[in-house]
Amino acid sequence: MRVDACGRWFVSFMVEEHIEPLPASTSGVGVDLGVNDIVVTSDGRKSGNPRHLKRYRRRLKLAQRRLSRKRKGSNRWRKQVKRVARIHARVADTRSDHQHKLTTGLIREHGVIALEDLNVRGMTASAKGTAEAPGKKVAQKAGLNRSILDAGFGEIRRQLEYKAQFYGRTIVLADRFAPTSKTCSECGAYQADMPLKVRVWTCPDCGAVNDRDSNAARNILAMAAGGRPVDVHGGRRTPSATTNSGCGMLAPVEMRTNPECVGASHGR
Ligand SMILES: [Zn+2]
């Protein structure tokens, strides 16, 4: 039994767990990480976003204000420090719980999981910028940064990677610069103009109705798995662009494979 820094009690048990290996799966899924939904899959499932921080932000603000009014080092101050820490810990716990449910679900159901190789650090770089080059739309970007961090993209990827290794699944990464949102996953046509607010769009080339996020997830799957080639130069797919080579979008795909499953079929 132990008590953590913010005064919560923990009881640990030792259990011997026999981990059943997951049945082999040839199913592949593309995963788009987002803010409205933390996870959208290529088969159209959306996880939602419990927005853990938002729910607790008011409580946290209040607790922090109370803390600021107490004399530093006093007994009341010390008690309040613990209260603030407890709220932080509660946020972390609920977030972690949700992330584990998401990643375990994906790993159980699919043999190959395709992700976009997001640069989380770049995405959440300081919105304020520097004195010489002040950032634009600081408040909006700070809000988005908070959402990205809250959704924990980096953590979701980390969990998927270690669980994939553990259960013999494969993680493939699509090029982070691939225009996954602007490309029709049905015909491969590229739409130059695709504002972020457009959530559903009809492809002018083939007429397919694409949900922004699951369309991106399907592209991520196709690109990472070397599936349907996509023409990034606008217009329709050219007949020559039917292999990985010759299509700039498919080139920088990084493979991470569990050594145990090399040679096994993963539906590629
Ligand atoms: Zn199309």
Side-chain angles (χ1 to χ4, degrees):
M1 188 150 58
R2 69 185 178 87
V3 182
D4 76 357
C6 49
R8 301 184 308 166
W9 292 60
F10 287 86
V11 181
S12 9
F13 299 92
M14 280 284 274
V15 288
E16 202 169 287
E17 197 180 3
H18 180 68
I19 293 159
E20 289 289 330
L22 289 172
S25 168
T26 53
S27 155
V29 71
V31 174
D32 184 55
L33 298 176
V35 174
N36 293 326
D37 291 280
I38 294 174
V39 162
V40 176
T41 57
S42 50
D43 48 22
R45 277 192 264 180
K46 300 188 171 193
S47 71
N49 182 349
R51 309 215 182 232
H52 310 293
L53 251 181
K54 212 174 190 174
R55 201 188 307 163
Y56 288 102
R57 195 170 308 143
R58 256 181 51 197
R59 231 197 278 175
L60 196 57
K61 227 175 164 176
L62 191 73
Q64 273 161 340
R65 195 179 312 140
R66 281 188 184 143
L67 179 66
S68 71
R69 286 182 190 145
K70 302 210 181 330
R71 189 165 47 84
K72 208 169 174 179
S74 68
N75 269 338
R76 282 164 184 238
W77 177 84
R78 245 191 294 276
K79 256 186 200 161
Q80 191 63 25
V81 166
K82 275 191 180 174
R83 276 192 203 112
V84 171
R86 239 184 331 249
I87 299 172
H88 276 299
R90 182 95 191 102
V91 174
D93 286 352
T94 43
R95 176 162 52 199
S96 168
D97 187 52
H98 186 250
Q99 286 167 335
H100 276 290
K101 276 181 188 143
L102 287 177
T103 56
T104 299
L106 288 167
I107 291 286
R108 294 198 79 85
E109 285 172 38
H110 305 284
V112 179
I113 294 148
L115 299 171
E116 205 167 8
D117 190 8
L118 290 172
N119 173 11
V120 176
R121 199 169 291 165
M123 286 169 79
T124 56
S126 168
K128 274 184 190 156
T130 58
E132 297 81 51
K136 288 173 189 164
K137 296 186 178 174
V138 173
Q140 291 96 313
K141 279 181 189 164
L144 184 61
N145 287 353
R146 202 158 36 224
S147 303
I148 290 168
L149 291 172
D150 192 25
F153 291 178
E155 175 60 14
I156 283 181
R157 167 144 164 211
R158 190 191 68 82
Q159 287 181 11
L160 284 173
E161 285 181 348
Y162 86 73
K163 288 177 188 181
Q165 195 159 42
F166 198 77
Y167 289 106
R169 304 308 208 197
T170 304
I171 303 289
V172 289
L173 297 176
D175 174 17
R176 78 171 64 140
F177 299 111
T180 50
S181 304
K182 296 185 169 188
T183 304
C184 173
S185 60
E186 279 299 318
C187 72
Y190 174 75
Q191 312 301 325
D193 192 36
M194 184 62 63
L196 198 65
K197 62 172 193 270
V198 175
R199 305 315 302 175
V200 179
W201 54 283
T202 305
C203 175
D205 286 63
C206 74
V209 179
N210 293 316
D211 170 89
R212 183 190 185 93
D213 299 321
S214 45
N215 178 64
R218 283 195 296 275
N219 283 330
I220 289 166
L221 177 62
M223 285 169 212
R228 185 184 295 109
V230 188
D231 180 10
V232 290
H233 306 295
R236 288 164 199 282
R237 176 167 26 142
T238 54
S240 64
T242 47
T243 55
N244 281 7
S245 55
C247 180
M249 215 158 160
L250 295 171
V253 171
E254 188 187 332
M255 282 286 300
R256 290 187 185 201
T257 311
N258 184 339
E260 281 166 26
C261 37
V262 171
S265 165
H266 286 295
R268 274 172 58 84

